[in-house]
């Protein structure tokens, strides 16, 4: 019924919220155990993300609210439902403001840092092997008249300014084989950074 479903979903969600900071604290052991088979995910997990240590309490808050909901549901049904709904709203807002920026650092933090480093440089930036609008947003590049949105032109056309390419470690061999004009200039947390030199 309702109480079983709501309790199960909240308990699973709360457990996940509690576990995420502990995953970071034990990431080297997780990597050494070879549970993660994706090379990009392994390198992304190595990102240096600051956790204060108290963030798991957000999940604990939801766990407590869920337990109260379970015990009160039969006696004070309306009160218990409101309690669980309010707890979920509060936790979701805390996740949006505290967890998501940290998770973004794992998923694309190194790439974002690279894009930001090119904000004041008159250059082109593109990605190969994955789609993203982050390069346009964080590098603050303005729309132009030339075909700079065309990867083929950026990679093989006449160079009018520097061209940088962001990719993933999983595409490293492919890029070395098919795009010898790209020079590897950096590698961090699963991302590879190239500059076109001819």
């Amino acid at each position: 019924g309702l109480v079983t479903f709501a309790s199960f979903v909240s308990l699973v969600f709360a457990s996940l919220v509690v576990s995420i900071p502990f995953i970071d604290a034990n990431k080297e052991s997780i990597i050494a155990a070879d549970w993660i088979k994706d090379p990009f995910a392994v390198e992304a997990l190595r990102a240096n993300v600051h956790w204060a240590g108290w963030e798991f309490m957000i999940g604990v808050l939801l766990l407590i609210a869920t337990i109260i909901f379970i015990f009160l549901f039969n006696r004070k049904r309306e009160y218990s439902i409101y309690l669980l709904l309010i707890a979920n709203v509060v936790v979701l807002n805390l996740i949006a403001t505290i967890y998501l920026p940290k998770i973004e650092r794992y998923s694309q933090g190194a790439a974002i840092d690279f894009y930001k480093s090119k904000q004041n440089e008159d250059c082109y930036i593109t990605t190969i092997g994955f789609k993203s609008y982050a390069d346009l947003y964080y590098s603050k590049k303005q729309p132009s008249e030339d075909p700079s949105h065309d990867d083929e032109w950026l990679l093989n056309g006449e160079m009018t300014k520097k061209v940088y390419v962001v990719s993933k470690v999983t595409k490293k061999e492919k890029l070395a084989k098919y795009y010898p004009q790209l020079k590897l200039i950096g590698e961090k947390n699963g991302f590879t950074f190239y500059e076109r030199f001819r």
Side-chain angles (χ1 to χ4, degrees):
L2 172 64
V3 66
T4 305
F5 177 75
S7 302
F8 176 76
V9 171
S10 282
L11 287 170
V12 170
F13 185 48
S15 300
L16 183 63
V17 175
V18 167
S19 67
I20 290 173
F22 294 103
I23 290 172
D24 182 83
N26 297 284
K27 60 187 175 185
E28 288 305 325
S29 299
I30 293 168
I31 291 167
D34 200 29
W35 294 335
I36 307 170
K37 301 303 178 185
D38 179 3
F40 174 77
V42 169
E43 292 305 314
L45 186 59
R46 286 197 167 109
N48 185 20
V49 180
H50 175 70
W51 293 86
W54 57 264
E55 293 89 352
F56 75 96
M57 291 301 296
I58 296 170
V60 172
L61 175 69
L62 186 55
L63 278 173
I64 292 167
T66 305
I67 292 166
I68 294 170
F69 166 76
I70 292 167
F71 280 103
L72 287 184
F73 185 77
N74 289 327
R75 286 178 288 163
K76 296 184 178 180
R77 182 168 297 194
E78 193 172 310
Y79 171 80
S80 65
I81 290 171
Y82 280 134
L83 174 70
L84 191 62
L85 285 173
I86 291 167
N88 273 282
V89 169
V90 170
V91 167
L92 286 171
N93 275 286
L94 289 170
I95 287 169
T97 55
I98 296 167
Y99 270 61
L100 292 187
K102 296 178 188 300
I103 291 168
E104 184 184 56
R105 293 302 303 169
Y106 294 110
S107 64
Q108 53 179 347
I112 287 170
D113 292 343
F114 182 80
Y115 303 143
K116 286 180 176 178
S117 74
K118 303 303 176 188
Q119 283 180 358
N120 298 318
E121 186 176 335
D122 187 21
C123 62
Y124 297 123
I125 301 177
T126 190
T127 61
I128 292 180
F130 69 102
K131 291 292 181 185
S132 174
Y133 293 105
D135 54 311
L136 299 173
Y137 179 78
Y138 289 104
S139 65
K140 296 185 178 177
K141 298 305 176 193
Q142 299 299 316
S144 58
E145 295 295 319
D146 57 46
S148 59
H149 59 280
D150 181 357
D151 286 350
E152 183 61 31
W153 181 81
L154 287 175
L155 293 168
N156 300 305
E158 184 181 348
M159 287 182 67
T160 55
K161 58 180 89 171
K162 279 188 177 181
V163 176
Y164 295 103
V165 174
V166 178
S167 189
K168 294 183 177 182
V169 290
T170 49
K171 303 291 181 182
K172 202 172 176 181
E173 289 182 13
K174 184 179 178 181
L175 264 64
K177 180 178 179 181
Y178 292 106
Y179 301 104
Q181 69 272 37
L182 297 181
K183 177 185 176 184
L184 183 67
I185 58 170
E187 187 173 331
K188 188 177 180 183
N189 300 139
F191 288 97
T192 48
F193 309 102
Y194 299 86
E195 181 182 338
R196 182 181 164 191
F197 63 92
R198 62 176 172 84

